[in-house]
PDB file of all heavy atoms in Angstrom:
ATOM      1  N   LEU A  15     -27.307 -27.772 -61.737  1.00 82.00           N
ATOM      2  CA  LEU A  15     -27.099 -26.427 -61.194  1.00 82.00           C
ATOM      3  C   LEU A  15     -25.959 -25.713 -61.921  1.00 82.00           C
ATOM      4  O   LEU A  15     -26.042 -24.516 -62.194  1.00 82.00           O
ATOM      5  CB  LEU A  15     -26.819 -26.498 -59.692  1.00 82.00           C
ATOM      6  CG  LEU A  15     -28.010 -26.841 -58.813  1.00 82.00           C
ATOM      7  CD1 LEU A  15     -27.555 -27.096 -57.388  1.00 82.00           C
ATOM      8  CD2 LEU A  15     -29.054 -25.751 -58.871  1.00 82.00           C
ATOM      9  N   VAL A  16     -24.895 -26.435 -62.241  1.00 83.00           N
ATOM     10  CA  VAL A  16     -23.783 -25.838 -62.995  1.00 83.00           C
ATOM     11  C   VAL A  16     -24.248 -25.443 -64.393  1.00 83.00           C
ATOM     12  O   VAL A  16     -23.949 -24.345 -64.875  1.00 83.00           O
ATOM     13  CB  VAL A  16     -22.582 -26.811 -63.056  1.00 83.00           C
ATOM     14  CG1 VAL A  16     -21.549 -26.332 -64.060  1.00 83.00           C
ATOM     15  CG2 VAL A  16     -21.962 -26.968 -61.680  1.00 83.00           C
ATOM     16  N   ALA A  17     -25.013 -26.318 -65.045  1.00 86.00           N
ATOM     17  CA  ALA A  17     -25.510 -26.018 -66.390  1.00 86.00           C
ATOM     18  C   ALA A  17     -26.433 -24.800 -66.386  1.00 86.00           C
ATOM     19  O   ALA A  17     -26.443 -24.026 -67.340  1.00 86.00           O
ATOM     20  CB  ALA A  17     -26.248 -27.233 -66.964  1.00 86.00           C
ATOM     21  N   ALA A  18     -27.176 -24.615 -65.294  1.00 84.00           N
ATOM     22  CA  ALA A  18     -28.077 -23.464 -65.190  1.00 84.00           C
ATOM     23  C   ALA A  18     -27.336 -22.194 -64.768  1.00 84.00           C
ATOM     24  O   ALA A  18     -27.928 -21.125 -64.719  1.00 84.00           O
ATOM     25  CB  ALA A  18     -29.187 -23.764 -64.188  1.00 84.00           C
ATOM     26  N   GLY A  19     -26.054 -22.308 -64.447  1.00 82.00           N
ATOM     27  CA  GLY A  19     -25.277 -21.145 -64.042  1.00 82.00           C
ATOM     28  C   GLY A  19     -25.468 -20.764 -62.584  1.00 82.00           C
ATOM     29  O   GLY A  19     -25.099 -19.671 -62.171  1.00 82.00           O
ATOM     30  N   LEU A  20     -26.030 -21.655 -61.786  1.00 81.00           N
ATOM     31  CA  LEU A  20     -26.308 -21.357 -60.384  1.00 81.00           C
ATOM     32  C   LEU A  20     -25.244 -21.900 -59.436  1.00 81.00           C
ATOM     33  O   LEU A  20     -25.231 -21.534 -58.264  1.00 81.00           O
ATOM     34  CB  LEU A  20     -27.680 -21.918 -59.995  1.00 81.00           C
ATOM     35  CG  LEU A  20     -28.854 -21.358 -60.793  1.00 81.00           C
ATOM     36  CD1 LEU A  20     -30.140 -22.065 -60.408  1.00 81.00           C
ATOM     37  CD2 LEU A  20     -28.966 -19.861 -60.586  1.00 81.00           C
ATOM     38  N   ALA A  21     -24.388 -22.767 -59.927  1.00 81.00           N
ATOM     39  CA  ALA A  21     -23.351 -23.350 -59.077  1.00 81.00           C
ATOM     40  C   ALA A  21     -22.006 -23.278 -59.788  1.00 81.00           C
ATOM     41  O   ALA A  21     -21.931 -23.159 -61.012  1.00 81.00           O
ATOM     42  CB  ALA A  21     -23.689 -24.801 -58.746  1.00 81.00           C
ATOM     43  N   VAL A  22     -20.975 -23.339 -58.992  1.00 80.00           N
ATOM     44  CA  VAL A  22     -19.609 -23.328 -59.511  1.00 80.00           C
ATOM     45  C   VAL A  22     -19.183 -24.780 -59.704  1.00 80.00           C
ATOM     46  O   VAL A  22     -19.404 -25.614 -58.821  1.00 80.00           O
ATOM     47  CB  VAL A  22     -18.669 -22.622 -58.510  1.00 80.00           C
ATOM     48  CG1 VAL A  22     -17.239 -22.642 -58.994  1.00 80.00           C
ATOM     49  CG2 VAL A  22     -19.140 -21.196 -58.274  1.00 80.00           C
ATOM     50  N   PRO A  23     -18.572 -25.125 -60.842  1.00 83.00           N
ATOM     51  CA  PRO A  23     -18.129 -26.502 -61.042  1.00 83.00           C
ATOM     52  C   PRO A  23     -17.149 -26.930 -59.945  1.00 83.00           C
ATOM     53  O   PRO A  23     -16.367 -26.129 -59.435  1.00 83.00           O
ATOM     54  CB  PRO A  23     -17.438 -26.477 -62.404  1.00 83.00           C
ATOM     55  CG  PRO A  23     -17.930 -25.247 -63.076  1.00 83.00           C
ATOM     56  CD  PRO A  23     -18.286 -24.275 -61.996  1.00 83.00           C
ATOM     57  N   ALA A  24     -17.198 -28.205 -59.596  1.00 78.00           N
ATOM     58  CA  ALA A  24     -16.348 -28.737 -58.529  1.00 78.00           C
ATOM     59  C   ALA A  24     -14.867 -28.506 -58.838  1.00 78.00           C
ATOM     60  O   ALA A  24     -14.083 -28.204 -57.935  1.00 78.00           O
ATOM     61  CB  ALA A  24     -16.621 -30.218 -58.329  1.00 78.00           C
ATOM     62  N   GLY A  25     -14.489 -28.625 -60.093  1.00 78.00           N
ATOM     63  CA  GLY A  25     -13.090 -28.409 -60.463  1.00 78.00           C
ATOM     64  C   GLY A  25     -12.630 -26.989 -60.188  1.00 78.00           C
ATOM     65  O   GLY A  25     -11.513 -26.766 -59.710  1.00 78.00           O
ATOM     66  N   ALA A  26     -13.487 -26.024 -60.455  1.00 78.00           N
ATOM     67  CA  ALA A  26     -13.128 -24.622 -60.198  1.00 78.00           C
ATOM     68  C   ALA A  26     -13.007 -24.361 -58.704  1.00 78.00           C
ATOM     69  O   ALA A  26     -12.103 -23.649 -58.261  1.00 78.00           O
ATOM     70  CB  ALA A  26     -14.172 -23.691 -60.807  1.00 78.00           C
ATOM     71  N   ARG A  27     -13.917 -24.943 -57.901  1.00 75.00           N
ATOM     72  CA  ARG A  27     -13.822 -24.783 -56.446  1.00 75.00           C
ATOM     73  C   ARG A  27     -12.523 -25.372 -55.931  1.00 75.00           C
ATOM     74  O   ARG A  27     -11.850 -24.782 -55.098  1.00 75.00           O
ATOM     75  CB  ARG A  27     -15.005 -25.458 -55.755  1.00 75.00           C
ATOM     76  CG  ARG A  27     -16.315 -24.760 -55.938  1.00 75.00           C
ATOM     77  CD  ARG A  27     -17.390 -25.307 -55.013  1.00 75.00           C
ATOM     78  NE  ARG A  27     -17.464 -26.752 -54.940  1.00 75.00           N
ATOM     79  CZ  ARG A  27     -18.278 -27.507 -55.667  1.00 75.00           C
ATOM     80  NH1 ARG A  27     -19.080 -26.950 -56.530  1.00 75.00           N
ATOM     81  NH2 ARG A  27     -18.299 -28.812 -55.523  1.00 75.00           N
ATOM     82  N   ALA A  28     -12.162 -26.535 -56.444  1.00 77.00           N
ATOM     83  CA  ALA A  28     -10.930 -27.191 -56.006  1.00 77.00           C
ATOM     84  C   ALA A  28      -9.713 -26.367 -56.409  1.00 77.00           C
ATOM     85  O   ALA A  28      -8.753 -26.255 -55.635  1.00 77.00           O
ATOM     86  CB  ALA A  28     -10.851 -28.602 -56.591  1.00 77.00           C
ATOM     87  N   ASN A  29      -9.741 -25.785 -57.603  1.00 81.00           N
ATOM     88  CA  ASN A  29      -8.610 -24.981 -58.067  1.00 81.00           C
ATOM     89  C   ASN A  29      -8.425 -23.731 -57.208  1.00 81.00           C
ATOM     90  O   ASN A  29      -7.306 -23.365 -56.865  1.00 81.00           O
ATOM     91  CB  ASN A  29      -8.789 -24.585 -59.529  1.00 81.00           C
ATOM     92  CG  ASN A  29      -8.653 -25.760 -60.470  1.00 81.00           C
ATOM     93  OD1 ASN A  29      -8.106 -26.801 -60.104  1.00 81.00           O
ATOM     94  ND2 ASN A  29      -9.155 -25.606 -61.676  1.00 81.00           N
ATOM     95  N   VAL A  30      -9.518 -23.078 -56.861  1.00 80.00           N
ATOM     96  CA  VAL A  30      -9.436 -21.873 -56.030  1.00 80.00           C
ATOM     97  C   VAL A  30      -8.909 -22.237 -54.646  1.00 80.00           C
ATOM     98  O   VAL A  30      -8.043 -21.560 -54.096  1.00 80.00           O
ATOM     99  CB  VAL A  30     -10.803 -21.160 -55.945  1.00 80.00           C
ATOM    100  CG1 VAL A  30     -10.804 -20.085 -54.875  1.00 80.00           C
ATOM    101  CG2 VAL A  30     -11.165 -20.560 -57.298  1.00 80.00           C
ATOM    102  N   ALA A  31      -9.434 -23.311 -54.078  1.00 80.00           N
ATOM    103  CA  ALA A  31      -8.971 -23.737 -52.750  1.00 80.00           C
ATOM    104  C   ALA A  31      -7.489 -24.095 -52.773  1.00 80.00           C
ATOM    105  O   ALA A  31      -6.738 -23.734 -51.854  1.00 80.00           O
ATOM    106  CB  ALA A  31      -9.801 -24.917 -52.264  1.00 80.00           C
ATOM    107  N   ALA A  32      -7.047 -24.766 -53.821  1.00 85.00           N
ATOM    108  CA  ALA A  32      -5.629 -25.126 -53.928  1.00 85.00           C
ATOM    109  C   ALA A  32      -4.762 -23.875 -54.077  1.00 85.00           C
ATOM    110  O   ALA A  32      -3.681 -23.794 -53.476  1.00 85.00           O
ATOM    111  CB  ALA A  32      -5.422 -26.065 -55.111  1.00 85.00           C
ATOM    112  N   ALA A  33      -5.224 -22.916 -54.847  1.00 86.00           N
ATOM    113  CA  ALA A  33      -4.451 -21.682 -55.027  1.00 86.00           C
ATOM    114  C   ALA A  33      -4.322 -20.915 -53.714  1.00 86.00           C
ATOM    115  O   ALA A  33      -3.239 -20.409 -53.383  1.00 86.00           O
ATOM    116  CB  ALA A  33      -5.108 -20.805 -56.092  1.00 86.00           C
ATOM    117  N   VAL A  34      -5.393 -20.834 -52.948  1.00 86.00           N
ATOM    118  CA  VAL A  34      -5.335 -20.137 -51.657  1.00 86.00           C
ATOM    119  C   VAL A  34      -4.380 -20.858 -50.710  1.00 86.00           C
ATOM    120  O   VAL A  34      -3.593 -20.231 -50.003  1.00 86.00           O
ATOM    121  CB  VAL A  34      -6.744 -19.983 -51.053  1.00 86.00           C
ATOM    122  CG1 VAL A  34      -6.690 -19.498 -49.621  1.00 86.00           C
ATOM    123  CG2 VAL A  34      -7.573 -19.033 -51.906  1.00 86.00           C
ATOM    124  N   ARG A  35      -4.430 -22.194 -50.704  1.00 90.00           N
ATOM    125  CA  ARG A  35      -3.492 -22.956 -49.856  1.00 90.00           C
ATOM    126  C   ARG A  35      -2.043 -22.696 -50.261  1.00 90.00           C
ATOM    127  O   ARG A  35      -1.166 -22.549 -49.405  1.00 90.00           O
ATOM    128  CB  ARG A  35      -3.794 -24.454 -49.945  1.00 90.00           C
ATOM    129  CG  ARG A  35      -4.946 -24.900 -49.081  1.00 90.00           C
ATOM    130  CD  ARG A  35      -5.007 -26.414 -48.973  1.00 90.00           C
ATOM    131  NE  ARG A  35      -5.093 -27.092 -50.256  1.00 90.00           N
ATOM    132  CZ  ARG A  35      -6.219 -27.361 -50.895  1.00 90.00           C
ATOM    133  NH1 ARG A  35      -7.372 -27.012 -50.369  1.00 90.00           N
ATOM    134  NH2 ARG A  35      -6.208 -27.989 -52.052  1.00 90.00           N
ATOM    135  N   GLN A  36      -1.780 -22.613 -51.551  1.00 93.00           N
ATOM    136  CA  GLN A  36      -0.420 -22.366 -52.017  1.00 93.00           C
ATOM    137  C   GLN A  36       0.064 -20.970 -51.618  1.00 93.00           C
ATOM    138  O   GLN A  36       1.221 -20.799 -51.235  1.00 93.00           O
ATOM    139  CB  GLN A  36      -0.338 -22.553 -53.531  1.00 93.00           C
ATOM    140  CG  GLN A  36      -0.463 -23.994 -53.946  1.00 93.00           C
ATOM    141  CD  GLN A  36      -0.560 -24.153 -55.456  1.00 93.00           C
ATOM    142  OE1 GLN A  36      -0.667 -23.184 -56.200  1.00 93.00           O
ATOM    143  NE2 GLN A  36      -0.536 -25.397 -55.912  1.00 93.00           N
ATOM    144  N   VAL A  37      -0.810 -19.980 -51.696  1.00 92.00           N
ATOM    145  CA  VAL A  37      -0.423 -18.616 -51.300  1.00 92.00           C
ATOM    146  C   VAL A  37      -0.195 -18.564 -49.793  1.00 92.00           C
ATOM    147  O   VAL A  37       0.738 -17.909 -49.327  1.00 92.00           O
ATOM    148  CB  VAL A  37      -1.466 -17.575 -51.758  1.00 92.00           C
ATOM    149  CG1 VAL A  37      -1.147 -16.199 -51.214  1.00 92.00           C
ATOM    150  CG2 VAL A  37      -1.528 -17.531 -53.277  1.00 92.00           C
ATOM    151  N   ARG A  38      -1.025 -19.268 -49.011  1.00 93.00           N
ATOM    152  CA  ARG A  38      -0.792 -19.338 -47.558  1.00 93.00           C
ATOM    153  C   ARG A  38       0.566 -19.962 -47.261  1.00 93.00           C
ATOM    154  O   ARG A  38       1.303 -19.487 -46.393  1.00 93.00           O
ATOM    155  CB  ARG A  38      -1.876 -20.174 -46.887  1.00 93.00           C
ATOM    156  CG  ARG A  38      -3.114 -19.439 -46.586  1.00 93.00           C
ATOM    157  CD  ARG A  38      -4.034 -20.293 -45.714  1.00 93.00           C
ATOM    158  NE  ARG A  38      -5.359 -19.735 -45.731  1.00 93.00           N
ATOM    159  CZ  ARG A  38      -6.467 -20.422 -45.874  1.00 93.00           C
ATOM    160  NH1 ARG A  38      -6.424 -21.725 -45.995  1.00 93.00           N
ATOM    161  NH2 ARG A  38      -7.619 -19.811 -45.874  1.00 93.00           N
ATOM    162  N   LEU A  39       0.873 -21.035 -47.967  1.00 96.00           N
ATOM    163  CA  LEU A  39       2.163 -21.696 -47.777  1.00 96.00           C
ATOM    164  C   LEU A  39       3.311 -20.752 -48.151  1.00 96.00           C
ATOM    165  O   LEU A  39       4.307 -20.654 -47.426  1.00 96.00           O
ATOM    166  CB  LEU A  39       2.232 -22.971 -48.612  1.00 96.00           C
ATOM    167  CG  LEU A  39       3.542 -23.754 -48.542  1.00 96.00           C
ATOM    168  CD1 LEU A  39       3.764 -24.282 -47.128  1.00 96.00           C
ATOM    169  CD2 LEU A  39       3.544 -24.888 -49.540  1.00 96.00           C
ATOM    170  N   ALA A  40       3.171 -20.047 -49.257  1.00 95.00           N
ATOM    171  CA  ALA A  40       4.211 -19.101 -49.673  1.00 95.00           C
ATOM    172  C   ALA A  40       4.395 -18.000 -48.639  1.00 95.00           C
ATOM    173  O   ALA A  40       5.527 -17.610 -48.329  1.00 95.00           O
ATOM    174  CB  ALA A  40       3.861 -18.498 -51.034  1.00 95.00           C
TER     175      ALA A  40
END
Side-chain angles (χ1 to χ4, degrees):
L15 288 171
V16 168
L20 300 175
V22 178
R27 289 191 315 265
N29 290 342
V30 168
V34 170
R35 280 192 304 272
Q36 289 173 353
V37 173
R38 277 189 196 135
L39 179 64

